[in-house]
Amino acid sequence: MSSAGTTLPGDPPGGRRAIAVWGVGVAVYFVAVIFRTSLGVAGLDAVERFDVGASALSTFSILQLLVYAGMQIPVGLLVDRLGTKKVLGIGVVLFTIGQLGFAFSPSYGTALASRALLGCGDALTFISVLRLGTRWFPARRGPLVAQLAGLVGMAGNLVSTLVIARLLHGIGWTAAFAGSAVAGVVVLVLLLLFLKDHPEGHEPEPFPHQGAAYVRRQIAASWREPGTRLGMWVHFTTQFPGMVFTLLWGLPFLVEAQGMSRATAGEFLTLVVLSNMVIGLVYGQIVARHHGARLPLALTTVAATAAAWAATLAYPAEHAPTWLLVLLCVVLGACGPASMIGFDFSRPANPPERQGTASGITNMGGFIASMTTLLAIGVLLDATGDDYTVAFSAVFVLQVLGVSQILRLRRRAERRERERLVASRVSSVHVPV
């Protein structure tokens, strides 16, 4: 089934104005990802600064992701009710304060609290940017716009690996993290001056909000759609291997298990990010033209990720060869773009007034999986005396769980989507011109 059809009745026009406004929202997400992933290049420094072990180190990212995942449905509801600009503004303030707090934290406890605040602000960004895209661009552009947003986010990850890592070892912990917080102030000013929720003439229809009853209805209606649940499990199964690697455990794995220098390990993390950006463009174009490719792309990415990890962990020598580690990093770069496919299942399954809620449910998937895997790896490393082979085997367990759920839901989701498409075509035939 191709999505490259005509613009639907009532679709926003897109154009340069849409790109400019959407670009401001994406800039906010870009900074949020820089702050989110900055710990990934500072993990070993955090161990020394706060005198903690692997489990305690993983708690930084686990708490951050726990807050992020727990906020997704509330954020979706907030975006549906308050609009993008207000929610993004709150997010910028929170994640900037969190980054500043992390810069000046004198203890492990205050650093944890700062990462939690950062995670709260970060949680408000991506769903808001997705909603901004649906309000400013035609529906047929949805898959590509979503992939481009993810690509810009990965560019933020690239800034972490290339810039913050060097600042950290050049000017020190406090100056590096506090200096990066200036970016939050810049995007807040841009947001307040230029961002608008929707183009003129495309205001959403007023939707009644009735407190707790409204919240329950929004969540229940979104969850009843098989496409929402399929999207969540696609996101769950595809995103976490790459996120776990770049967010925290990639650098320690490459340095301690593979014998690399920190500089070389940083280059390999950069390769993951570059691969993500290139593959994101390819996946976005494919899905925008051929919706039937969504599930094959997602499942192929899961299979390739499992095969690359299995080959790396089972390699008989003490260290895996460079070519295999390069292949692993390239394959891990596909995880982020593949996770975006989850939104291409939940988006057509829900009407506009539920888009934020449905996207929130979908976005929970990968972050719950990442949080679970971060914890499992940290615990297994402490329990096995830093045996990375055993620790990273946790990846396979969550992949099996996710694939089983995808296969269980796919037929129902595809059937409902076909029914909805037929109904929309029938109704559009009767729209007066």
Side-chain angles (χ1 to χ4, degrees), residues 100-433:
L100 275 173
F102 196 59
F104 294 101
S105 292
S107 66
Y108 177 69
T110 54
L112 272 180
S114 297
R115 294 306 286 188
L117 188 62
L118 191 157
C120 186
D122 183 17
L124 299 175
T125 59
F126 188 63
I127 299 302
S128 299
V129 172
L130 287 181
R131 164 53 68 89
L132 199 64
T134 63
R135 291 297 189 199
W136 281 89
F137 293 95
R140 71 182 187 277
R141 301 294 186 194
L144 182 59
V145 169
Q147 286 287 358
L148 287 173
L151 186 151
V152 173
M154 286 308 296
N157 198 336
L158 193 62
V159 171
S160 291
T161 57
L162 293 179
V163 178
I164 292 185
R166 286 176 170 79
L167 289 175
L168 192 64
H169 301 123
I171 61 178
W173 179 284
T174 300
F177 282 103
S180 67
V182 174
V185 178
V186 172
V187 293
L188 179 60
V189 172
L190 292 174
L191 182 151
L192 294 174
L193 291 177
F194 301 113
L195 193 136
K196 294 184 181 297
D197 286 340
H198 48 73
E200 293 182 9
H202 291 271
E203 294 81 0
E205 295 182 8
F207 191 77
H209 302 290
Q210 300 172 357
Y214 160 76
V215 171
R216 287 194 298 269
R217 283 198 305 272
Q218 285 286 88
I219 295 173
S222 297
W223 184 255
R224 277 197 300 269
E225 290 291 343
T228 304
R229 284 175 280 145
L230 178 60
M232 185 196 73
W233 282 108
V234 168
H235 200 270
F236 177 102
T237 314
T238 53
Q239 187 199 50
F240 79 93
M243 174 161 281
V244 165
F245 196 82
T246 57
L247 193 63
L248 184 64
W249 290 119
L251 189 71
F253 170 75
L254 294 171
V255 172
E256 296 179 353
Q258 300 301 320
M260 291 184 182
S261 66
R262 287 195 186 189
T264 304
E267 292 172 358
F268 274 71
L269 291 179
T270 302
L271 178 60
V272 177
V273 177
L274 293 174
S275 170
N276 183 299
M277 296 172 73
V278 173
I279 293 173
L281 286 174
V282 175
Y283 278 19
Q285 292 286 351
I286 292 173
V287 174
R289 287 170 169 77
H290 308 286
H291 268 195
R294 291 173 298 175
L295 208 54
L297 277 179
L299 293 176
T300 299
T301 302
V302 174
T305 305
W309 265 121
T312 302
L313 297 177
Y315 198 79
E318 181 180 1
H319 298 146
T322 300
W323 67 265
L324 183 54
L325 294 174
V326 168
L327 177 64
L328 174 67
C329 290
V330 170
V331 171
L332 288 175
C335 293
S339 72
M340 300 299 296
I341 295 172
F343 298 102
D344 294 315
F345 287 104
S346 65
R347 187 186 304 109
N350 292 273
E353 65 269 15
R354 285 207 311 265
Q355 286 295 316
T357 306
S359 295
I361 293 172
T362 300
N363 208 30
M364 285 177 62
F367 288 93
I368 290 173
S370 297
M371 180 175 57
T372 303
T373 309
L374 283 167
L375 175 61
I377 290 174
V379 170
L380 289 171
L381 284 174
D382 282 343
T384 60
D386 293 338
D387 188 329
Y388 280 90
T389 299
V390 174
F392 272 98
S393 295
V395 169
F396 305 121
V397 177
L398 271 75
Q399 286 183 320
V400 170
L401 172 62
V403 169
S404 68
Q405 294 301 311
I406 290 172
L407 297 178
R408 182 178 68 85
L409 289 164
R410 67 184 179 92
R411 294 193 185 279
R412 274 182 285 172
E414 290 170 353
R415 183 171 61 251
R416 282 282 291 151
E417 189 170 309
R418 284 195 300 269
E419 292 170 356
R420 191 181 297 274
L421 180 62
V422 170
S424 68
R425 285 175 175 171
V426 170
S427 63
S428 67
V429 169
H430 297 91
V431 173
V433 293

